Amino acid sequence: MEFDTSQKPRGLKRIYFAFKHSMRGLKWLARNESAFRQEVVLLAITLMVIFNIEISLYEKVAMLCATLFVMFAEIINTAIEATIDRVSFEIHPLSGLAKDLGSAGVLVSLIVFMCVWGSCLYSNFLAT
């Protein structure tokens, strides 16, 4: 079976299908990836924090974006893992490297998250 690029939907229909596929992916992540579920909890905590503490709008947006960045990295990491597993379950150094690099991306996103949160909280609570 081959994908026919000439029959791709356009306009609002394309947006509808893109949204539908994205929701299917998010549902799959929520059911199958414990790391993603933990990051959903992190997002809920982020929303509670940014709506209940007195910080600037810029800091609230930065904290929310840092949290979403962690979730984004996890989604990409999971996509890499699924692709590698689709190609082969055989143990291969390049497959391991691809999965390790995806994991490293998540680690970098968590470091960004901690830097953003640390600087926002430090400037508002510890510096006063």
Side-chain angles (χ1 to χ4, degrees):
M1 181 198 283
E2 252 182 63
F3 182 72
D4 183 8
T5 58
S6 67
Q7 300 297 317
K8 290 174 69 170
R10 301 183 193 284
L12 289 176
K13 189 174 183 180
R14 184 197 65 77
I15 293 169
Y16 167 75
F17 282 120
F19 180 79
K20 185 176 160 184
H21 296 313
S22 296
M23 290 297 104
R24 188 175 65 211
L26 290 171
K27 276 190 216 174
W28 186 92
L29 283 162
R31 281 192 216 116
N32 297 289
E33 286 293 320
S34 61
F36 186 76
R37 287 191 298 272
Q38 292 169 340
E39 290 154 2
V40 169
V41 170
L42 184 63
L43 178 61
I45 292 167
T46 298
L47 293 172
M48 287 188 291
V49 168
I50 65 176
F51 288 114
N52 288 303
I53 63 173
E54 291 296 320
I55 58 175
S56 71
L57 178 61
Y58 172 79
E59 290 168 319
K60 289 179 181 189
V61 169
M63 292 171 81
L64 179 60
C65 286
T67 305
L68 292 173
F69 181 56
V70 171
M71 296 177 81
F72 171 78
E74 186 64 47
I75 292 166
I76 298 303
N77 181 45
T78 303
I80 291 168
E81 290 177 351
T83 302
I84 295 301
D85 292 344
R86 163 66 174 89
V87 171
S88 174
F89 285 115
E90 173 189 337
I91 295 174
H92 189 280
L94 290 176
S95 297
L97 177 61
K99 290 182 175 192
D100 291 347
L101 292 171
S103 180
V106 174
L107 176 62
V108 169
S109 74
L110 287 166
I111 293 168
V112 170
F113 170 85
M114 289 186 294
C115 290
V116 169
W117 272 67
S119 65
C120 289
L121 296 177
Y122 176 80
S123 68
N124 283 285
F125 297 109
L126 299 177
T128 55

